[in-house]
Amino acid sequence: MLNKYARAFFTRVLTPFAAFLLRRGVSPDAVTLVGTTGVVVGALVFFPRGEFFWGTIVITLFVFSDMVDGNMARQAGISSRWGAFLDSTLDRVADGAIFGGFALWYAGTGNDNVLCAVAIFCLASGQVVSYTKARGESIGLPVAVNGLVERAERLVISLVAAGLAGMHAFGVPGIDVLLPIALWVVAGGSLVTLGQRVVTVRRESAEADAAGGTPGAPGAPGAQGSEAEAT
């Protein structure tokens, strides 16, 4: 849902910066790679050590590259299937690093196996939520549903909570409880979103079959195909 309403706002805000990078000869693919690298380093260096505030600051500095690279491609008129594939693939890498960082903390110094398992579930369910949309679109279905907790919601909820929880190190009492709450919220929301997408694909595939789609044909239900970019 946030992806639907917030992306247009941030696109307008980041357009001048995207134009500046283009004038300096920076490519959209380079922005994608640098942004993902920054997110992965921020998540896997700071989060496993419990430094959630600084980890969130580093990740936030790089996470907007996901919108900057697409903006640059549109301004330069060089949008491509490769760019969409690279962007979507590296989004999964970044998401995995963030929730993997949480899991490593709770598996180690955080000493909470339940929350470690919840963080792993958030990681896995986020990948599956994205896959359901990509796979549905690859077999010719629109997958016309705005899920309860898509990628934007997963990141905002988790990173805001992590950043605030990290302020516990600066003497703010009781605030560290926000991260466990956020992980449970993301886990539950991801499960609901997965259900929404599965139900939508089932309905749309039944409608396509009733309309005369041939299972196994390109673009039809049952066909094998590449996965489109998903959230």
Side-chain angles (χ1 to χ4, degrees), residues 136-177:
E137 290 176 343
S138 77
I139 58 177
L141 302 175
V143 196
V145 58
N146 291 319
L148 178 65
V149 175
E150 297 182 331
R151 184 173 188 255
E153 286 84 3
R154 292 195 299 270
L155 291 180
V156 169
I157 293 170
S158 302
L159 293 177
V160 168
L164 292 174
M167 295 180 69
H168 180 75
F170 301 104
V172 181
I175 202 166
D176 52 326
V177 73

Side-chain angles (χ1 to χ4, degrees), residues 124-216:
S125 61
Q127 308 296 319
V128 176
V129 164
S130 296
Y131 177 79
T132 54
K133 184 174 179 65
R135 186 62 179 133
E137 290 176 343
S138 77
I139 58 177
L141 302 175
V143 196
V145 58
N146 291 319
L148 178 65
V149 175
E150 297 182 331
R151 184 173 188 255
E153 286 84 3
R154 292 195 299 270
L155 291 180
V156 169
I157 293 170
S158 302
L159 293 177
V160 168
L164 292 174
M167 295 180 69
H168 180 75
F170 301 104
V172 181
I175 202 166
D176 52 326
V177 73
L178 291 178
L179 181 56
I181 292 172
L183 290 175
W184 280 107
V185 169
V186 170
S190 296
L191 189 61
V192 171
T193 303
L194 177 60
Q196 289 176 303
R197 290 191 173 179
V198 169
V199 169
T200 298
V201 169
R202 181 175 176 81
R203 186 191 72 248
E204 291 176 350
S205 62
E207 292 172 352
D209 289 344
T214 304

Side-chain angles (χ1 to χ4, degrees), residues 5 9-10 12 18 22 41 47 59 68-69 73 87 91 102 114 117 119 124 131-132 155 163 187 191 222 229-230:
Y5 298 107
F9 169 76
F10 283 109
R12 290 194 298 271
L22 286 171
V41 169
F47 285 175
I59 290 170
V68 172
D69 55 6
D87 186 60
D91 281 350
F102 294 144
V114 173
Y131 177 79
T132 54
L155 291 180
L191 189 61
E229 182 178 2

